Amino acid sequence: MSKQTKYIFVTGGVLSSLGKGIAAASIGTLLKNANLKVSILKADPYINVDPGTMSPLEHGEVFVTDDGAETDLDLGHYERFLDENLSQNNNFTTGRVYSAVIEKERRGDYLGKTIQVIPHIVGEIVDRIKKAGEGNDILIVEIGGTVGDIEGLPFLEAIRALRTEVGRKNAMNIHLTLVPFIKVAGELKTKPTQHSVGELRRIGITPDMIICRSEMPLNRELKDKIALSCGVEKNCVIESADSTSIYQIPLAFLKQDILTPIAETLELGKLTPDMQNWDSLVKRIIAPTGETTIAFVGKYIDLKESYKSLTESIIHAGANLDAKINLKWVDSEKVEKDNVNEILKDVDGVLVAGGFGERGVSGKILAIQFARENKKPYLGICLGMQLALIEFARNVLKLQDANSIEFNENCENPIIYLIDSFIDAHGKEQIRTHKSPLGGTMRLGAYECNVKPNSILSKIYSNQKVIKERHRHRYEANPKYKESFEKNGLMISGTSNGLIETVELKDHPFFIGVQFHPEFTSRLTKPNPTILGFIKSSIENAK
Ligand code: GLN
C-alpha cells in the first residue's frame, strides 16, 4: 500500500486578499525544509474553467506551469516559496469540476443515476485533492474565497468529508482570519474571527489552528482570548502581522513555533527546519548594500498584480546580489519622442515585459530605441522581445512598416507573425484552426532552448547548451528576417525547433530579448539567470 498523504486544509474568513496563499506557502516552506515531501493545491470556487481567459485587470497574473497549465497567481507564490514545479493538478476551479462531471455523465459513466452536488461534485473534488497529494508526505490545500461564499460550499464539504475519511491524525484545518485594528477604540478586535469560526463550525469544520492577519502583533492575552472563544489550543493561535517582505512570513511563523502543534496533530515527529539560507536572503531583502533603478515600461501600470512573478523575480535577483532594486513604473502610453530621454536618462536598466494588444506599444518601442542607442541594459520579455525586433527592423534595417501581425494583419514586413502549427508542451502537434489573431492557440509551458556559445545568453546560463523556460504567447519572430538582422548586429542566440527564442545585440553591454517568460521559474533560493543577468548588468551600469 502506498503511504498515506497527510492534508493541511487552509480556509479563509472575514474577507479576501488576506494573503492565504502566502500563509499556505509559508507553512509549506517550513515543512519542506524539515525534509518532508510537500506539495500544494489551490481549489478555486469561481466558475471559470481556468484563469487563462480572465482579465489581468480583474484577476492579476495568469501563472503558467511547466506543463502549460494557465493557473491562479497563487501557484506562482507556491513555486517561489516551495521551489517545486507544480502542474495542472495543483489548481482547479468549480468550472473545471463541473465540466469533468458533465463529461462523464454524457459518456454514461454514472449509469443513468441522478447527478447531484453530493455525492458527485463533492466526490470529484475529493478525487482531485487525492490525486494532487499522491506521492507526497503532505499536501496543503488552499480553498479560494471566504467562508460563507455560496460557491465555496462544495469545496468545504469535500475537505470535511476527506478529513473524516482519512482520520484526524492525517488531516488538519487551518483558518486564516482578520483581526482588525479599530482606531477610535485603539484596539485589535477578535469578534470577526469568532464569527468566521462559528460559520465554519456550522458546516461541520472545526479549525485546529487559527492564523490572525493584523496590522500589528497580537499580545498573549489576545491570542489566549481567541484560543478560548474559538476552541483551539493556545499554541495554535498564530499571528501574521504586516511585514516588509512576504519572505519574512515563514520565519515569523517559525518564531512562534508553528510546527510543534502541526507535528503533534499530524503525528509527524520532531520537525527542525533548516532556514539558514532563507534567513540570510531575507536579511538582504530588508537591508541590502547596493542599489539600482530599473524602468519597468508597461501599460498595466496600475495593476502591478498582473506582473507578480516578474516583480518577485526581481526581488529574488536583488536578494541574491545584495542590492535594492528601485522600480520606476513608466506608463508606456505616456512615453513620446520628446520626453523619452527625460523619463529614462537616470535609470540603470530598461525592462519591457509581456503583453497583449496594441495599446502602449509605440511608447515601449521608443523606450527600447533609447536603451539600444544609449547602451543601457535592456531586457525584453515576450512582447518585449518582439518589439525589440520591430524597433530594430524599423530604425536599423529601415523597414518603415515593420510590425507584428497582432497589430497590423496586412503589414508588408511581418517581423512577428503567426505560424500554422507548433508542437505543444506535451509533444503534440497543434494546428491553428483560427487565422484571426485572437483565435490562435497559445504556445504554453516549458520548452527547451538551444543556446549559442559565446552569447550573453550562454554567459548568464553558465555555458549551459540547452536551457528550459516557460512560454505564453501566440506570435513568433519571423525567420525570414534572420539574415538581415544578423548582418546588422542583432544576433539570434537561442532557438527551439527552428523558432527564434532569444535575440541580443552584439555591440551593447547587455541587450537581450527572450520569447519565454523567465520570471515563471525564479525562486528566492534560485533566482532566474535571465533576470539575474539583467539586474547584475544594471547594477554595474549604476556604478
Ligand atoms: N502578444 C504577444 C503574443 O501573443 C506577446 C505575448 C506575451 O507577451 N505574453 O505573442
Side-chain angles (χ1 to χ4, degrees), residues 115 227 251 375 420 435 457 469 495 502 534 536:
I115 309 304
L251 301 170
K375 304 227 184 299
D420 297 330
K435 277 282 177 192
L457 189 70
E469 294 289 358
T495 54
T502 73
F534 168 59
K536 203 167 161 198

Side-chain angles (χ1 to χ4, degrees), residues 354-357 381-383 386 406 472-475 515 517:
F356 294 84
I381 295 177
C382 207
L383 183 65
Q386 299 175 353
E406 181 176 7
R472 184 172 188 254
H473 58 106
R474 286 191 183 85
Y475 301 91
Q515 186 61 75
H517 286 267

Side-chain angles (χ1 to χ4, degrees), residues 286-335:
I286 309 294
T289 315
E291 188 165 356
T292 186
T293 301
I294 307 290
F296 192 131
V297 188
K299 68 173 176 179
Y300 291 129
I301 292 308
D302 296 332
L303 281 139
K304 299 174 183 162
E305 286 291 288
S306 60
Y307 293 118
K308 198 74 202 165
S309 292
L310 189 47
T311 49
E312 291 303 317
S313 71
I314 290 169
I315 293 173
H316 304 162
N320 282 272
L321 295 166
D322 194 13
K324 175 167 184 246
I325 321 288
N326 307 308
L327 285 186
K328 176 170 176 172
W329 295 87
V330 176
D331 181 349
S332 54
E333 285 184 278
K334 301 214 171 90
V335 178

Side-chain angles (χ1 to χ4, degrees), residues 462-509:
S462 320
N463 303 318
Q464 285 179 70
K465 292 198 173 68
V466 181
I467 60 170
K468 212 171 163 188
E469 294 289 358
R470 298 181 195 168
H471 291 249
R472 184 172 188 254
H473 58 106
R474 286 191 183 85
Y475 301 91
E476 300 289 345
N478 192 339
K480 189 177 133 187
Y481 298 90
K482 187 171 177 239
E483 222 169 281
S484 24
F485 277 139
E486 303 223 274
K487 254 199 240 142
N488 288 280
L490 191 133
M491 168 164 104
I492 315 285
S493 55
T495 54
S496 169
N497 270 326
L499 297 176
I500 296 170
E501 303 283 60
T502 73
V503 299
E504 50 190 76
L505 280 181
K506 284 183 197 145
D507 198 15
H508 192 290

Side-chain angles (χ1 to χ4, degrees), residues 10-24 26 174-182 188-190 192-193 209-218 222-223 226 237-246 249 252-253 256:
V10 181
T11 53
V14 184
L15 40 93
S16 60
S17 304
L18 291 180
K20 213 174 346 127
I22 305 278
S26 296
I174 298 183
H175 191 54
L176 182 104
T177 70
L178 175 72
V179 177
F181 180 74
I182 303 300
L188 286 162
K189 290 292 187 187
T190 64
T193 299
M209 176 176 281
I210 294 177
I211 297 180
C212 305
R213 282 285 293 117
S214 68
E215 277 174 56
M216 56 190 73
L218 272 61
L222 208 71
K223 284 186 173 177
I226 292 170
V237 179
I238 304 290
E239 80 191 19
S240 178
D242 289 353
S243 57
T244 315
S245 160
I246 53 173
I249 296 171
F253 284 178
Q256 297 172 74

Side-chain angles (χ1 to χ4, degrees), residues 51 54-63 73 303-308:
M54 289 166 89
S55 159
L57 297 134
E58 197 172 308
H59 193 69
E61 175 182 78
V62 174
F63 184 79
L73 91 173
L303 281 139
K304 299 174 183 162
E305 286 291 288
S306 60
Y307 293 118
K308 198 74 202 165

Side-chain angles (χ1 to χ4, degrees), residues 92-305:
F92 63 84
T93 66
T94 294
R96 173 79 66 202
V97 169
Y98 271 79
S99 311
V101 169
I102 291 168
E103 202 178 296
K104 286 186 204 165
E105 186 271 336
R106 293 288 86 185
R107 244 186 0 229
D109 289 10
Y110 299 112
L111 306 172
K113 283 215 159 58
T114 306
I115 309 304
Q116 297 178 296
V117 172
I118 300 173
H120 302 100
I121 295 297
V122 169
E124 178 72 27
I125 296 172
V126 167
D127 288 349
R128 281 172 183 260
I129 295 176
K130 285 183 181 164
K131 184 161 179 210
E134 272 168 20
N136 291 288
D137 297 317
I138 308 272
L139 178 72
I140 299 177
V141 181
E142 179 194 347
I143 306 296
T146 309
V147 170
D149 298 345
I150 293 179
E151 63 262 43
L153 278 174
F155 292 85
L156 296 175
E157 173 56 19
I159 62 171
R160 191 201 60 74
L162 186 51
R163 188 178 196 196
T164 311
E165 182 187 324
V166 298
R168 302 197 77 77
K169 66 175 194 313
N170 290 321
M172 72 181 287
N173 298 317
I174 298 183
H175 191 54
L176 182 104
T177 70
L178 175 72
V179 177
F181 180 74
I182 303 300
K183 253 199 228 134
V184 282
E187 267 180 46
L188 286 162
K189 290 292 187 187
T190 64
K191 193 67 85 188
T193 299
Q194 296 177 41
H195 278 299
S196 179
V197 170
E199 186 71 22
L200 259 186
R201 284 181 185 282
R202 216 171 49 82
I203 47 182
I205 295 175
T206 319
D208 302 283
M209 176 176 281
I210 294 177
I211 297 180
C212 305
R213 282 285 293 117
S214 68
E215 277 174 56
M216 56 190 73
L218 272 61
N219 62 28
R220 188 69 258 169
E221 198 186 331
L222 208 71
K223 284 186 173 177
D224 291 352
K225 183 177 168 192
I226 292 170
L228 192 70
S229 59
C230 298
V232 301
E233 297 291 329
K234 285 185 178 174
N235 65 347
C236 289
V237 179
I238 304 290
E239 80 191 19
S240 178
D242 289 353
S243 57
T244 315
S245 160
I246 53 173
Y247 300 103
Q248 289 172 291
I249 296 171
L251 301 170
F253 284 178
L254 187 63
K255 242 198 198 144
Q256 297 172 74
D257 203 15
I258 192 173
L259 290 189
T260 298
I262 292 177
E264 269 166 18
T265 312
L266 298 177
E267 299 184 358
L268 297 169
K270 177 123 188 82
L271 299 178
T272 39
D274 178 3
M275 295 296 286
Q276 222 179 333
N277 184 26
W278 189 280
D279 190 38
S280 60
L281 286 166
V282 169
K283 286 205 174 93
R284 293 202 250 166
I285 295 178
I286 309 294
T289 315
E291 188 165 356
T292 186
T293 301
I294 307 290
F296 192 131
V297 188
K299 68 173 176 179
Y300 291 129
I301 292 308
D302 296 332
L303 281 139
K304 299 174 183 162
E305 286 291 288

